[in-house]
Amino acid sequence: MRSVQRTAGKVAHGSLVRDSSLVWLASGVVGVSFGAVSVAGGLPVWVPVLMSLVVYAGSAQFSAVGVLLAGGGPVAAVATGLLLNTRTAAFSLAVAEILGTGRASRFLGAHLVTDETVAFALAQPDPVRQRRAFWISGLGLFAVWNLGVLAGAMAGSALGDTARYGLDAAFPAVLAALVLPTLRADSTVRRCALPGAALALAVTPAVPAGVPVLLALAGLLLHRSPTTDGATA
């Protein structure tokens, strides 16, 4: 019996690693871009490397570095990063039970919360697989992102204009692939997600990068629990 359980566990872990690999690849590629852009703009190598280890928030890191390279001070850069990263508060609530109850697991898990990790975990069919998916995707993503940033920072300006590679499309494409199965299967999710996405698209030309994602959370106002629906009916 134990051998069967071990085999089943290995198969489950293997499938999660395989499914996570696309996200890791996209993360590494964008990490290289972030490191290269930062150093090519004049920042020392240690800045993007340390930021990626301590802050670990892709869009917030790009925005903070953008503020610094544009001549803004550290306070403005930090404020911009914090604003864009407030969305992870909602993500943390969504995966709170997945992380476990121990202080160490919650502390480390909170650091690993990203759009991709949360989407991948919540797409799993049961709590056990959700927990495995979160930690496998989260730890792998953290490692690959930081290795990518280090490689890009070391390469510096040798990569040239990183925008020409279209790296900004990598993460949105991966996220879309992760959430589509849930959107197809759950009408409640669609009722919240589609208006939120429409709102984000509508305001994108008028607000700073990252803010549309925050505004998309307004779609949660349309959420109705099964109990509430049944009572209303």
Side-chain angles (χ1 to χ4, degrees):
M1 178 64 71
R2 289 183 178 177
S3 62
V4 173
Q5 290 177 339
R6 287 196 202 99
T7 302
K10 289 180 180 178
V11 171
H13 278 75
S15 65
L16 290 173
V17 170
R18 183 195 65 230
D19 294 342
S20 299
S21 60
L22 180 61
V23 183
W24 296 343
L25 177 61
S27 175
V29 170
V30 179
V32 169
S33 174
F34 172 72
V37 167
S38 301
V39 173
L43 296 178
V45 170
W46 66 266
V47 171
V49 172
L50 182 62
M51 184 185 293
S52 295
L53 287 169
V54 177
V55 179
Y56 184 52
S59 61
Q61 290 180 224
F62 272 105
S63 299
V65 165
V67 170
L68 291 175
L69 296 182
V75 174
V78 170
T80 300
L82 286 174
L83 173 63
L84 297 183
N85 226 33
T86 52
R87 69 187 189 282
T88 58
F91 297 161
S92 298
L93 293 175
V95 298
E97 295 184 2
I98 295 175
L99 300 182
T101 57
R103 290 185 178 180
S105 62
R106 284 185 174 269
F107 180 80
L108 177 59
H111 192 56
L112 298 178
V113 169
T114 64
D115 309 62
E116 298 78 23
T117 302
V118 171
F120 185 64
L122 295 181
Q124 307 308 313
D126 60 79
V128 173
R129 191 172 172 86
Q130 286 178 345
R131 185 172 292 108
R132 288 175 178 171
F134 178 86
W135 288 108
I136 289 174
S137 63
L139 290 170
L141 195 65
F142 180 80
V144 172
W145 169 262
N146 281 280
L147 288 173
V149 171
L150 177 61
M154 295 299 291
S157 58
L159 294 177
D161 183 9
T162 55
R164 66 184 177 183
Y165 301 119
L167 301 180
D168 55 336
F171 267 156
V174 171
L175 269 179
L178 288 174
V179 301
L180 278 177
T182 304
L183 288 174
R184 292 194 186 104
D186 194 326
S187 60
T188 301
V189 173
R190 288 197 300 273
R191 185 169 62 228
C192 299
L194 296 180
L199 176 60
L201 287 173
V203 301
T204 294
V207 299
V211 175
V213 177
L214 297 176
L215 296 179
L217 294 175
L220 293 174
L221 297 174
L222 301 175
H223 182 270
R224 296 290 184 274
S225 66
T227 303
T228 302
D229 288 342
T232 303

